[in-house]
Amino acid sequence: MPVLDPHPQNGKQKLLLVFGAMLLVTVIIGVIASIASP
């Protein structure tokens, strides 16, 4: 748990959104790589 942010509602949602976007990009890159590989 971060010490700087006690319980920010908006910050936690934003962090979750960023984490979800990063995970989605990683999955998309993996799918493209698996399709492009012979």
Side-chain angles (χ1 to χ4, degrees), residues 14-27:
K14 191 175 183 180
L15 185 69
L16 190 68
L17 185 68
V18 170
F19 183 73
M22 285 171 56
L23 191 67
L24 187 66
V25 168
T26 305
V27 169

Side-chain angles (χ1 to χ4, degrees), residues 2-35:
V3 182
L4 291 173
D5 297 324
H7 289 290
Q9 198 78 16
N10 195 14
K12 196 171 186 180
Q13 191 176 8
K14 191 175 183 180
L15 185 69
L16 190 68
L17 185 68
V18 170
F19 183 73
M22 285 171 56
L23 191 67
L24 187 66
V25 168
T26 305
V27 169
I28 289 173
I29 290 173
V31 169
I32 291 173
S34 64
I35 290 173

